[in-house]
Amino acid sequence: MSGKTDINQQAKDPLHGVTLEAVVTELVVVYGWPKLGRLVDIRCFNHEPSVKSSLKFLRKTPWARKEVEDLYCALKNSVE
């Protein structure tokens, strides 16, 4: 029974199987860098933004990564 519960949880988790690069790229497509920088106020989104610099920062900074992932989850949950 536990295996079935794990599968159901994974199906509901918008981050399951999605890379951080895909998360950042989709957020940029949906919001654009200026709005993304206002929603998650981190330097790599506001000053010469790029996916590469954002990934480097987010991989080293857990609190910022959590904010980005939470924003992505909110976006996915609002679409459903």
Side-chain angles (χ1 to χ4, degrees):
M1 197 89 159
S2 177
K4 195 171 195 174
T5 302
D6 292 342
I7 292 170
N8 289 338
Q9 290 296 335
Q10 290 173 354
K12 294 178 184 179
D13 181 7
L15 292 171
H16 181 73
V18 180
T19 64
L20 184 57
E21 182 175 8
V23 167
V24 172
T25 301
E26 185 164 350
L27 290 174
V28 171
V29 168
V30 172
Y31 296 114
W33 288 114
K35 186 170 183 180
L36 186 56
R38 287 191 302 275
L39 293 170
V40 181
D41 189 17
I42 53 178
R43 184 173 174 81
C44 62
F45 288 172
N46 291 309
H47 300 281
E48 299 181 27
S50 72
V51 172
K52 184 177 179 180
S53 68
S54 299
L55 293 174
K56 185 175 180 180
F57 177 76
L58 293 170
R59 287 184 179 127
K60 295 188 298 186
T61 316
W63 66 265
R65 182 176 182 150
K66 180 165 180 6
E67 283 191 33
V68 169
E69 289 174 343
D70 289 349
L71 180 60
Y72 179 80
C73 289
L75 173 67
K76 289 302 183 182
N77 288 334
S78 71
V79 173
E80 293 175 359

